[in-house]
Each structure stands twice: as structure tokens, then as C-alpha cells.
Amino acid sequence: MIDTKTTLAIAATLAALTGCQTTQQVMDASQPQALAMATRRAQFEMNCPGATAQVISREDVPPVLMYRGTPRLEYTIGVSGCGQRGTYLVICPEDGSGCFAAAGRRE
């Protein structure tokens, strides 16, 4: 039979291992939310419910202050529809608190 200390050590190890994700995995997990945010904003601004989006680039950005702040993910997303095109910068904190689509540039 396993004692309490061993059980706690195993549980802590498993929690630590399952909680560790690579930057790539975090970016993959946040990408659908970033795409949805850019799509909704573009559909409104372009007055085009059929606008569609695609990721142009994505990047992991460290906090503004070295030991404070939240690391964030930045996605550059292109949106097109109804004869219009635009790009949006979508910022998602790595803590999963939600994404923000910054003002776009339309052509």
C-alpha cells in the first residue's frame, strides 16, 4: 500500500506535468478565439456578415516590464469579404483572460 506522502508526491508531479504546455500549444489553443474576435470586429466594421479570417502571423511577446505583467500572444489576422480586405492585431494574454482585437487597417 502506498503511503500518504508518496500519493501526494505522485499527484503533485502529475499536476505539474499536465500543467506545462509549450508556447506552440498555448498559441494553438488561443488561435480560435483570436480568429473569432478579428472576424466579429471585421464583420461589423466592414458591414459584411460573410467576412472570413486567416492568421498571417503569430508571436509570443514577453511582458512589458521584465518581472511584472502578463506574457501575451499577438496574432496578425487578415480578414476579407464583400470586396474588402483588412488586417487586425489581436492580443491574447497567456493567462487565458480573453483576447482583444485592435483597430484594423483596411484596403
Side-chain angles (χ1 to χ4, degrees):
M1 192 155 170
I2 299 175
D3 66 351
T4 305
K5 276 186 174 179
T6 305
T7 303
L8 289 175
I10 292 170
T13 302
L14 288 174
L17 290 175
T18 57
C20 295
Q21 292 185 355
T22 66
T23 301
Q24 187 72 31
Q25 290 170 322
V26 172
M27 292 182 90
D28 290 344
S30 294
Q31 187 167 308
Q33 183 180 10
L35 279 166
M37 185 66 63
T39 301
R40 284 194 308 271
R41 182 165 180 162
Q43 287 171 340
F44 175 78
E45 288 180 352
M46 295 176 175
N47 193 24
C48 182
T52 58
Q54 66 181 15
V55 174
I56 296 171
S57 67
R58 61 189 199 171
E59 165 178 14
D60 183 35
V61 180
V64 175
L65 300 173
M66 191 171 199
Y67 296 105
R68 286 209 230 147
T70 303
R72 61 197 184 283
L73 308 170
E74 291 184 0
Y75 299 86
T76 302
I77 298 178
V79 183
S80 61
C82 302
Q84 303 173 72
R85 292 172 14 141
T87 56
Y88 292 85
L89 179 65
V90 179
I91 300 164
C92 302
E94 283 187 22
D95 65 7
S97 60
C99 296
F100 170 79
R105 193 176 116 207
R106 292 192 351 200
E107 297 174 13

